[in-house]
Structures are given as structure tokens and as C-alpha cells.
Amino acid sequence: MKRKMILYALLTLAAFVMFFPIMYAFSVSFMTSEDILSRRLLPSSPTLDNYRDVLVSVPILHYLMNSFIVASTATLGMLIVSALAAFIFAFIPFKGRQAVFLLFISTLLIPWEATMIPNFFTIQSLGWMNNYLALTIPFFALAFGTFLLRQHFKTVPQELYEAAQVEGLSNFQFFYKVVVPYAKTSFVTLGIFGFLTTWNMYLWPLLVTTNDTVRTVQIGLRRLQADEVATNWGLVMAGVILVIIPTLILLAAGQKQLQKGLAKGAIK
Amino acid sequence: MKQQAADILDTKTLTVQDAIDKYKVASTKTWWQKTGNYRIAFLYLLPSLLLFSVFMFYPMIYSLYLSFFFTDAQGTASAFVGWENYTYLFQSAAFRNSVGVTLLFVLYTVPSSVIIALFLALLANEKLRGIGLYRTIFASTLGMSVAASAVIWLFMFHPTAGILNAALTSINLPALSWLQDSTMALVSVAITTIWMNTGFSFLILLGGLQNIDEHLYESARIDGAGYFYRLRRITVPMLSPTLFFIITITFINSFQSFGQVDILTGGGPAEATNLIIYSIYKEAFIYYQFGPASAQAIILFGAVLLLTLLQFKFGEKKVHYQ
Amino acid sequence: MEEGSVKLKHISKSYDKQTFAVKETSVDIQPGEFFVLVGPSGCGKSTMLRMIAGLEEITAGEIYIHGKSANDTPPSRRRISMVFQNYALYPHLTVEENILFGLKVRKVPKKEQLRLCLEATDMLGMTEFLKRKPRELSGGQRQRVALARAVVSQMPICLMDEPLSNLDAKLRGQMRTEIRQLQQKLGITMIYVTHDQVEAMTMGDRMMVLKDGEVQQIGKPLDIYNNPANEFVANFIGAPPMNITEAEVQRDGSLRVHHNNSLTLLPASSNMKMHLGVRPEHILLTKTQETDWELSVKISTVEILGNETLLTFEVGETLWKAKIPGQWHYEKGQVTTIHINKQHIHLFDGRTGKMLPESVGVARKPAAVQGGASI
């Protein structure tokens, strides 16, 4: 009993510290500027003015839309491209497969930032500046995603593959009729992970967007902060809340899935 | 003589080679049929390989190439300068400062991130009513973008309007200049980074903890082992592959921190938070010095590579794999 | 050559080009035959089955299926069905979808699909489970789904890889009979892999005993039981295994086991090392007209199973077991006399372990006559 009390106390304290910044931002987004100046924790008279203002002053809905398009396209592409490669590594043996696999591993050692300068030139010469293509295509191939799916694909019993061979399934039929349904939870895991990371991208969109056409919400947030900081924190926080709500909901819904799936892909 | 002896021996001594020589039946498969797997593999791997080539391997090589050149503002290599970009970097106080700051930043963030996440994961692994809510809260920063996080912390660090200083003064402590003081600024950026890292590390560690076989604890409990004994003798060894993974990831993430610097400090004050990535960014996209920027990128690549390899070499031995 | 036949000619399999997984094996399996591949784990029986299925390449030798060379025929063209150890059911599909999976791939007309499915599930008593998912079924029911899948495929040859090893003992006994009946009803060729000699003895028309990738003996179960080709087969087939003891050939041609009793051999063979074997069920506790040899032994354990008693006693350096009908009470350490009919004695070459032919001098009746009495 005493142990339980201590645990709950620790848990609650930790939760408070961890969650404070988010709660505080939430609270500030409903405050008037007087409340903010007097450094209150909770709004004295909650107002939606900040939300109204932020929607009027910056095209935040447009940014959100862009982010949605970018994150979902990138996630979908990542799932397809990774799944195709993972299928080969899990099921189709050929001479030299190990070498190709090592090539995939080696990409894990290349930090994105080390390649961003030439990539920027590539995007420029492809004419992809201010284009969704620049924000999605480069992220389709992902070694981590390939490993994660491969680990899950490998849990498909070899017997199923053999049974499929005896029954006359082609490789592609086996892939989409058996492997994909069998490992669908791993697709959910990688999907959530992919969506979160692409939604939260910062440096790359900063480089390849120079106007609002495809600018994502993260960069929008930076501009909002840069423009408004001196005047109106409440408005900035309203923007922050609008940006984090989709991912927080996604995370809350898929947290169990992520926790199981990622640990598996990461370790084995 | 030898030949004769071999003939006398019965089938017991038939070697694989003999069997092949004697009974091998030539395959009637056509070349097309035999190479089926190669074609499928090529087809399925093509998208990945193509994208890796265009956005990973080629730029890596091109970075290396650029690092030996002077470039114009469009990034076209104009003059070969050999190691000059590198020697320039190593002589430049700004770059040395940037490396020092990065190392210090790693030191600030990695151990504390991992320890905090482990602590949270251990707490959240208890079977209690309502634990799901706590887990969601602890994991929440995984859903926080770097921009949103940095903007929130920027406000909390605000010298006059910020809640942190309000808290300090309310308990009669002097207010801090979180982002304006050159020592404090790096710490502030580190705090933000640790907070952001926690969600992911927590989730992975929790997953690792839940993979540990319950029976191990039960038998230890029957043997009368206390909580900390079990933690030291079962949890940590069994969790070691996960811990190892998290340490590596956190390391690499720290090296690559950019957004929080960009929003919180812009590398200042007086370059006190000019982390390596931020330095590359400024060099390349603000000053258009693509040559030196590429040289920095190559050094970053080398450092990440070295660290990863070192971690595998030394970490691997202590890791207990199931 | 007929549909449903499988013929192996000098088949070998090696993964590393150094050692054999399966060594130079030849056999003719007749259409409609129930053929069992049996041996301890790692003996190459599954590899052989997988080569027949086309899941594994053949290193050397040739395989004929339905009378045609099939070395390069992919599994789906061999017109076989296969039942796996873990059933290989698709977890995301219902029982019905699982059973029809192969038919759909082959584009069998819908009506025909339904008819076949109902027929098969009816035969196996699975009709009421059609809409369930595999995880909602018991082990035995999953096994039946796997069988139904083989049945609907209407293939003339069915391969089974240890299909009963995941079931409990009671269910295993029941499924043995069912599978045998099913095979006879459908008239298909069955090639069946197992490590369980009981399954091999009770189900097979013929069996092949394997060890370390090498064929030890091929034949009808009873022939193998009665005339095991070597010590390994003698040991592997029959439970408890045959008692085998080293025996000395005396100068006068008699054979001595232990130190107390000798057995006359005619004609006297040179002083060759021999092993003498007796099945536990051929040891009697009382002298009868049939018995003509006796040994004095010291009992070491007694296990009374109700309908029979297992006695363990020392003979020379080795422990022998005797299986005696009825309930017998002995004390540990008690000395008693066992009686054996010389016809039931098997002699093996002490060096190679091969069975020594009749020449050794222990008169043996031909297998057919000896038959029924002993299992």
C-alpha cells in the first residue's frame, strides 16, 4: 500500500514535470495579453481571441494542409518502398543479398545533414523547389523502416511461404495476400512513426521552401514566432497548439502499437 | 594404388563430390528461369536503391568532392583547393568552438536523457490502475515537433514574461538569463533537447522492459531478491540491448540538433550554442560557403561513423542479447 | 509410369558440399501407397520430403513424379498437396478462406469451390467452423483444416511433414486412424514424415528408416520389425527398444552372454565380435515348450502399468528390459530366470552393426510365419 502511494506520487510528479510545457502552452493560448504579462498559470477569463487572430494573421490552415499532404504522402511512400525491400530481405534469397543488405545498413551511418548541401542542389536542378516532391520523395527509402518491416516479415512462418509455393502463388501474390495482412501491425507502427517524423521535419522544409505554396506548419510556426514574438505570445501559443494537436492525438491513439513495434524492430 | 583402394570401399565412403560426379543431372531450367529471384529482387529493391543512390550515396560523395573546392554562390565548384578547406577549419576558432560546444552539448544531453527516460520507463512499467494515462503523458514529447517545443520553451525561458523566472523569484531565487548568458544558453538548449528526446527513449525502453520474461522476476522474488537487486541483476542486463540502442540513437540525435538552436538562440550568444549542424547551415545557406560547409559535413559524418563504430565495439561486449 | 507415383533415383542432398543431408537414396513409391519416412530428428527425412515437394533443390540424382522427371518442376506444377507440422494456416483468413485459398489461386470456378469445400469439411467434421479464424480453433481442429486443404486440392500425391507432432497423445492416436482412412478413401499417394515409430508402424504400407541422411532399411513395417537390417533399426523400431548386448564367441562355437549362459552356434564362426539382441516382448518369465534358452538375472526396477509389467535387469554390462503381460511383483535386487526362444534372437556384426544372416546358426523362421505373434 505504502509502495503504491510512493509510486503514484512519483508518477504524478514526473507527469507534471513532463507535461507542464504542453499544458502551459495550452493555458497561455487562452489568455489575454494582461494575463500573460502578469505571468499567470491559468487564464483569468479564457478567450478564443488568440485562435481567431492566428487564423486570420497567418495562413495556418494552409500550412496544416501542406503538412498533412507531405506527411501522409511521405508515410505512404515510405511504407511501400520499405515493404518491397523488406520482402526481398525476408523471403527471396539470392547471391549477394548480404552485400545489398550491408549497403542498406551503411545508409544508417550517413546523417541527413551531411548530405543536405548536394541534396539541396539536386532539388534545385530538378526544379522541385517549393514543390511537394522535394518534401516527400527523398524520404521514401528508409533503412530503419526496411529493417523494422523485415523483422516483422521474418515472423511469418517459413511454412506459410512454402505452402504458398505448393499452392502456386506468385511472389507478388504471396506478398500482398499473405505477408501484408500478416504483418499489418508493423505497418501501423512504421506508419505512425513515419507520419510523426515527417510531420515534424524542420531543417529540410526550411531549405526547400521559399514561399507559402508548400511550406509546412513547422516552418510556419517559426515565421509566426519570429514575426509575432514581441507583440503577442498568446497568438503564438494558439498556433503551437494547432500544430501539435494532430500528432498528439495520433500518438495517444498509437502509443501502445509504437511501443511494441519499435522496440522489436530496434533490437532484434 | 590409391585408385584401387577407393574402388574397393563401399558406399559408406562415397563423398559428396563422388555423388555429384556420378549422379548429377543437368538442369533443364533456362537461364531466364534460373535468374527469376534476381529479377524479382532487382525489381523490389530498385525504388530503395535508386532513392538511396540519389539522396544518400551520390550526395555523400559529392559532399566529399565539394569539400576540396571553392564554390560560387550557386554551389558550382570553381577551384580545386585540396585540403585547404580542412586546414582552414581546423585553424578557425569559430569551428573549434563549434566542435567544443557540440561535444559539451552531447555530454549534457545524452546521459541525462537516457537516465530520465529509464527512470520514467521503470515507473510506468508498474502494474497500476490508470498507468495507461501516465504512459501516454510520458510518451507525449514524441509527438512534439522541434518547432513547437522550441517555441514553448522559448516563451518559458523569456527573461521577463517567462514562467521559469517567475517560479524562481517566487521562491526568492535570483532570476536567470536563460538564453542570454553564454554558459546558460547551452544548458537551456540542452534542457529543451532532453525534454524532446524523452518521449521516444521512454517508449522504446518501456517496450524493452515489457519484453522481459515475467518468470524471471517471479523466480527472483521467490529467492527473496529485493527491488534494487532485481533491477541490477535482471532488468538492466536484460534491457541492455535496448539501452544500447537508445544511447546510440540519442548520441546521433544530439549531434544533429538543429531546430531548437535555430529558434531558441540562433547559435548565440557569441556563438555559445553554435552546434555543428547549425554551423554547417549558416556556412552553406547564409554565407554560401559551400566548400567549407561540405568539409564540416564530412567531419560530422566521420564523427558519427566513429562514434557508432566505437559504441558497437565497446558497447557490444557488455550487452546481453537474448 | 502412373499418375501418383514417385520415384527417387540416387538422390543426394548436400548444403555444404562436404557432408550429406541425404545420401544417395533410391526408392519407388507406388500410386495409392502410404509411404512413411521415419528416423530421429536430423536424419534427413524432412529434407527428402521437401525435395519431393520441390521446396529444396536436389544436389545429385533424379526424381520422377507421375512418371515424369521433375527435377526442375516448381512445387506448384508437381500436383501435390502438403500438410505442414504447424499446419501453415493463414491467421488472417477464416477456415473457409484457408481451405479455398489454393483453389482461388488456381481459378477453380466458384460453384466447384463451394462443393469441394463442403465435401472436405463434411468428411472431416469441420462444417460448423467454416467462419472461424484459426486462432479460435484447438490444435486438433487446426490439423483438420490443414487436412481439408489438402483434400480439396484433389492432388494425387499428398506430403505430410510431422503433422501430428503438435497434438497430445490421445488426439494423435485418433488422427492416425483418420489420416489413414482418409488416404484410403481418396486413394491418393501419401508420403508421410515422422519421428514416431508408432506412427510409422501403424500407418504405413511401407516405410523407409533413415539415420544421418542414409537409408537404413526400406520395407513393410512388420518385415522391418521382424528382420531389422541393423542395430539402429532394431533399436529405433519397437518400444521399448530391443535389448542389445555384446556377446563372446567361444572356441567351441558357442556364444556367451554375460558369464553364465551360452548358446550354441552352428557352424562355429571365427571368433568374431557379435551383438545379441532380444526384443523386450520376447522375454518370458516361465519356461515353456517354445523356450530353449535361459538366463539368470538380477532385477533392478519394476514398473507395473496395469495390463503389463516392465522389468529392468542387468545382463552383463547392459540393462535389459522385458515387457511381460499382467502384473508382476518383484523386489529390487531379486534374482530370477528369464526364458527366451532362440528364434527370437537377433545377431549383429559387432563391428558394423549389420544383421548377421541365418548362417550364424540360430534357426529362424521366415518373417511371414512369425508375424502376428509378436507386436
Side-chain angles (χ1 to χ4, degrees):
Chain A
M1 205 49 224
K2 200 175 145 200
R3 183 181 137 81
K4 261 194 185 174
M5 294 280 277
I6 295 174
L7 276 174
Y8 272 118
L10 280 173
L11 277 165
T12 311
L13 183 70
F16 177 77
V17 173
M18 284 299 291
F19 213 45
F20 178 78
I22 297 173
M23 286 318 295
Y24 182 57
F26 189 70
S27 170
V28 170
S29 73
F30 293 102
M31 285 185 192
T32 59
S33 29
E34 291 76 47
D35 282 349
I36 295 171
L37 277 179
S38 54
R39 306 203 283 201
R40 292 179 64 94
L41 267 181
L42 292 169
S44 54
S45 54
T47 163
L48 283 173
D49 288 356
N50 292 323
Y51 287 90
R52 199 195 57 217
D53 293 347
V54 80
L55 291 177
V56 175
S57 66
V58 279
I60 194 128
L61 289 180
H62 177 71
Y63 292 151
L64 278 169
M65 187 62 156
N66 283 340
S67 277
F68 259 113
I69 293 170
V70 167
S72 20
T73 316
T75 305
L76 193 69
M78 187 188 289
L79 289 178
I80 294 171
V81 172
S82 305
L84 288 175
F87 178 71
I88 297 297
F89 290 129
F91 289 104
I92 311 290
F94 64 91
K95 248 196 198 122
R97 187 170 79 169
Q98 206 54 36
V100 180
F101 195 64
L102 279 176
L103 198 68
F104 271 62
I105 290 185
S106 70
T107 65
L108 287 175
L109 298 174
I110 303 179
W112 236 97
E113 291 74 11
T115 57
M116 69 181 173
I117 296 169
N119 278 337
F120 176 74
F121 297 143
T122 306
I123 294 300
Q124 267 188 333
S125 58
L126 287 171
W128 285 2
M129 288 298 283
N130 293 313
N131 192 319
Y132 289 126
L133 295 176
L135 292 168
T136 51
I137 305 261
F139 303 97
F140 281 7
L142 182 71
F144 171 72
T146 309
F147 291 149
L148 189 105
L149 292 181
R150 171 177 168 266
Q151 295 305 344
H152 284 262
F153 287 1
K154 280 189 136 180
T155 65
V156 175
Q158 197 65 23
E159 285 191 350
L160 282 187
Y161 185 49
E162 293 176 348
Q165 277 179 285
V166 172
E167 287 184 327
L169 264 74
S170 70
N171 274 309
F172 187 65
Q173 280 174 319
F174 176 66
F175 175 58
Y176 81 86
K177 280 191 172 166
V178 181
V179 175
V180 173
Y182 193 97
K184 62 172 181 270
T185 53
S186 63
F187 283 91
V188 176
T189 307
L190 182 62
I192 296 172
F193 178 79
F195 192 91
L196 289 178
T197 44
T198 43
W199 177 273
N200 292 341
M201 265 192 304
Y202 184 81
L203 178 51
W204 184 244
L206 189 64
L207 297 182
V208 296
T209 60
T210 52
N211 60 39
D212 280 348
T213 32
V214 301
R215 183 168 282 154
T216 61
V217 77
Q218 310 302 338
I219 311 307
L221 203 58
R222 180 196 198 232
R223 294 180 58 80
L224 180 66
Q225 176 265 321
D227 295 347
E228 300 282 340
V229 65
T231 49
N232 198 340
W233 276 105
L235 184 146
V236 175
M237 288 305 147
V240 166
I241 295 299
L242 287 177
V243 174
I244 63 176
I245 276 179
T247 43
L248 284 185
I249 291 175
L250 183 68
L251 186 74
Q255 173 228 330
K256 261 209 181 108
Q257 191 65 47
L258 267 180
Q259 160 200 325
K260 282 189 194 139
L262 286 181
K264 196 170 183 178
I267 309 309
K268 286 184 186 152
Chain B
M1 270 308 281
K2 263 190 180 170
Q3 188 55 46
Q4 258 185 341
D7 286 342
I8 296 164
L9 293 171
D10 61 355
T11 55
K12 281 252 175 212
T13 55
L14 184 85
T15 66
V16 176
Q17 199 50 50
D18 295 339
I20 292 174
D21 293 344
K22 208 164 166 191
Y23 300 117
K24 177 85 182 168
V25 176
S27 173
T28 57
K29 279 188 187 173
T30 57
W31 178 83
W32 184 253
Q33 283 169 329
K34 276 185 201 161
T35 51
N37 274 4
Y38 285 100
R39 279 197 308 282
I40 289 169
F42 178 74
L43 205 67
Y44 283 40
L45 292 175
L46 185 66
S48 292
L49 289 177
L50 194 71
L51 288 169
F52 280 147
S53 308
V54 175
F55 295 108
M56 286 271 187
F57 299 130
Y58 158 74
M60 199 60 238
I61 294 163
Y62 193 66
S63 275
L64 192 65
Y65 169 83
L66 274 185
S67 72
F68 293 112
F69 283 86
F70 274 149
T71 61
D72 60 23
Q74 277 73 49
T76 325
S78 51
F80 179 77
V81 294
W83 292 97
E84 201 168 309
N85 285 326
Y86 291 94
T87 46
Y88 158 76
L89 280 181
F90 284 114
Q91 282 160 6
S92 129
F95 178 71
R96 272 182 289 171
N97 166 62
S98 169
V99 169
V101 166
T102 308
L103 291 179
L104 199 58
F105 182 72
V106 165
L107 194 67
Y108 285 168
T109 52
V110 176
S112 30
S113 284
V114 174
I115 289 168
I116 291 171
L118 180 62
F119 171 72
L120 293 180
L122 285 172
L123 274 183
N125 195 33
E126 297 286 340
K127 285 187 189 62
L128 293 171
R129 191 190 272 271
I131 200 73
L133 179 68
Y134 288 106
R135 287 180 186 168
T136 308
I137 289 176
F138 293 161
S140 61
T141 61
L142 174 57
M144 296 293 292
S145 69
V146 62
S149 308
V151 168
I152 295 176
W153 282 93
L154 180 65
F155 179 47
M156 301 212 310
F157 286 137
H158 197 280
T160 51
I163 195 80
L164 293 178
N165 276 345
L168 287 179
T169 43
S170 77
I171 51 172
N172 288 326
L173 285 175
L176 288 171
S177 29
W178 296 92
L179 297 171
Q180 289 71 31
D181 176 82
S182 54
T183 324
M184 210 46 216
L186 191 65
V187 174
S188 304
V189 175
I191 291 174
T192 311
T193 310
I194 293 167
W195 182 75
M196 281 167 46
N197 281 345
T198 309
F200 179 74
S201 309
F202 161 76
L203 208 55
I204 299 282
L205 287 174
L206 182 62
L209 282 177
Q210 294 188 332
N211 278 342
I212 299 176
D213 188 356
E214 199 68 20
H215 296 307
L216 290 177
Y217 290 107
E218 282 167 4
S219 70
R221 205 172 269 173
I222 290 166
D223 296 340
Y227 179 81
F228 286 99
Y229 186 82
R230 292 199 300 265
L231 183 67
R232 200 157 49 87
R233 282 308 171 82
I234 301 174
T235 311
V236 173
M238 293 305 284
L239 197 62
S240 55
T242 318
L243 270 174
F244 176 63
F245 170 77
I246 279 300
I247 292 171
T248 312
I249 289 282
T250 314
F251 238 109
I252 292 174
N253 276 348
S254 279
F255 258 97
Q256 297 172 352
S257 302
F258 173 82
Q260 54 271 54
V261 179
D262 187 41
I263 288 177
L264 287 175
T265 61
E271 308 224 320
T273 57
N274 195 15
L275 297 184
I276 185 92
I277 300 288
Y278 197 74
S279 159
I280 296 174
Y281 165 77
K282 274 204 303 197
E283 197 85 39
F285 297 102
I286 294 179
Y287 308 132
Y288 301 109
Q289 294 291 320
F290 291 112
S294 296
Q296 286 191 47
I298 293 298
I299 291 169
L300 170 78
F301 166 70
V304 169
L305 187 70
L306 189 72
L307 269 173
T308 322
L309 294 182
L310 277 179
Q311 288 217 337
F312 268 96
K313 192 157 161 47
F314 294 109
E316 196 91 345
K317 282 181 202 154
K318 293 177 196 144
V319 169
H320 171 91
Y321 284 100
Q322 272 167 300
Chain C
M1 280 282 244
E2 254 182 278
E3 161 137 321
S5 67
V6 174
K7 180 179 180 156
L8 307 182
K9 272 172 86 177
H10 309 296
I11 292 284
S12 292
K13 173 76 189 180
S14 175
Y15 292 99
D16 54 3
K17 305 269 177 207
Q18 299 293 320
T19 51
F20 283 105
V22 168
K23 182 169 169 183
E24 217 242 301
T25 300
S26 300
V27 68
D28 269 317
I29 299 169
Q30 303 301 324
E33 187 174 9
F34 199 118
F35 193 84
V36 179
L37 303 172
V38 66
S41 63
C43 71
K45 55 191 191 297
S46 286
T47 310
M48 196 171 304
L49 190 78
R50 293 160 53 78
M51 288 195 283
I52 297 172
L55 297 169
E56 201 89 61
E57 286 208 4
I58 297 170
T59 310
E62 205 165 4
I63 179 169
Y64 294 87
I65 297 178
H66 312 300
K68 286 193 209 100
S69 171
N71 275 31
D72 293 328
T73 315
S76 57
R77 298 259 174 78
R78 296 186 178 206
R79 294 196 297 134
I80 51 167
S81 57
M82 191 158 175
V83 175
F84 293 87
Q85 184 171 3
N86 297 311
Y87 320 134
L89 300 182
Y90 303 112
H92 58 286
L93 301 178
T94 63
V95 166
E96 186 177 7
E97 289 165 327
N98 260 293
I99 293 173
L100 293 179
F101 196 77
L103 298 184
K104 279 189 183 141
V105 174
R106 293 204 159 87
K107 306 229 159 55
V108 173
K110 265 265 155 62
K111 257 196 182 156
E112 180 75 356
Q113 281 185 16
L114 279 180
R115 190 182 64 77
L116 287 168
C117 177
L118 283 178
E119 206 177 275
T121 46
D122 195 42
M123 204 182 291
L124 290 156
M126 289 299 293
T127 317
E128 55 186 308
F129 301 109
L130 281 175
K131 298 292 169 218
R132 301 248 185 114
K133 289 270 176 74
R135 65 164 178 279
E136 299 164 308
L137 301 178
S138 70
Q141 289 166 335
R142 283 181 213 178
Q143 173 69 75
R144 286 200 171 84
V145 178
L147 290 178
R149 207 161 59 173
V151 171
V152 294
S153 74
Q154 294 182 298
M155 294 301 172
I157 299 174
C158 180
L159 311 179
M160 293 197 175
D161 190 359
E162 306 242 12
L164 304 184
S165 60
N166 288 348
L167 303 181
D168 62 57
K170 203 173 159 194
L171 202 52
R172 214 155 43 211
Q174 190 187 336
M175 290 306 293
R176 276 206 303 261
T177 338
E178 276 192 42
I179 291 178
R180 179 65 169 144
Q181 281 171 353
L182 195 67
Q183 180 261 340
Q184 282 170 340
K185 200 162 164 188
L186 299 171
I188 55 175
T189 311
M190 177 73 78
I191 304 176
Y192 187 102
V193 163
T194 181
H195 65 271
D196 180 353
Q197 58 94 21
V198 178
E199 284 176 27
M201 288 297 290
T202 54
M203 299 172 84
D205 291 322
R206 281 196 301 156
M207 62 167 145
M208 176 193 277
V209 185
L210 285 150
K211 181 201 168 200
D212 299 334
E214 272 186 80
V215 177
Q216 306 294 307
Q217 194 170 5
I218 301 176
K220 291 186 179 146
L222 283 184
D223 288 348
I224 291 181
Y225 176 86
N226 290 330
N227 293 306
N230 58 34
E231 277 182 45
F232 172 79
V233 177
N235 234 311
F236 192 76
I237 301 293
M242 184 184 282
N243 301 305
I244 295 177
T245 301
E246 221 166 88
E248 282 171 59
V249 184
Q250 304 296 101
R251 218 170 286 158
D252 63 353
S254 66
L255 192 68
R256 267 180 59 161
V257 175
H258 193 13
H259 50 271
N260 59 359
N261 217 322
S262 61
L263 181 72
T264 313
L265 297 167
L266 288 168
S269 41
S270 59
N271 56 346
M272 169 183 185
K273 257 195 163 180
M274 277 190 197
H275 289 171
L276 174 147
V278 182
R279 293 206 178 273
E281 52 272 38
H282 290 148
I283 295 173
L284 304 178
L285 291 175
T286 49
K287 193 176 171 70
T288 69
Q289 280 189 322
E290 302 277 288
T291 63
D292 43 16
W293 193 45
E294 52 186 53
L295 283 171
S296 166
V297 299
K298 201 162 94 182
I299 304 279
S300 59
T301 58
V302 183
E303 296 161 80
I304 305 173
L305 305 174
N307 61 341
E308 60 184 22
T309 304
L310 282 180
L311 296 176
T312 313
F313 40 78
E314 293 163 27
V315 174
E317 302 278 283
T318 48
L319 286 177
W320 278 25
K321 281 201 166 170
K323 193 154 88 177
I324 318 283
Q327 304 178 354
W328 296 81
H329 297 272
Y330 280 98
E331 296 294 320
K332 187 176 168 174
Q334 197 175 334
V335 175
T336 190
T337 309
I338 56 167
H339 302 268
I340 295 161
N341 180 340
K342 282 181 191 165
Q343 285 169 14
H344 288 144
I345 288 174
H346 301 260
L347 290 174
F348 302 97
D349 185 319
R351 195 173 53 90
T352 63
K354 282 196 177 145
M355 187 180 73
L356 293 170
E358 286 72 14
S359 70
V360 188
V362 183
R364 313 193 64 193
K365 286 181 199 168
V369 184
Q370 209 176 17
S374 41
I375 295 192

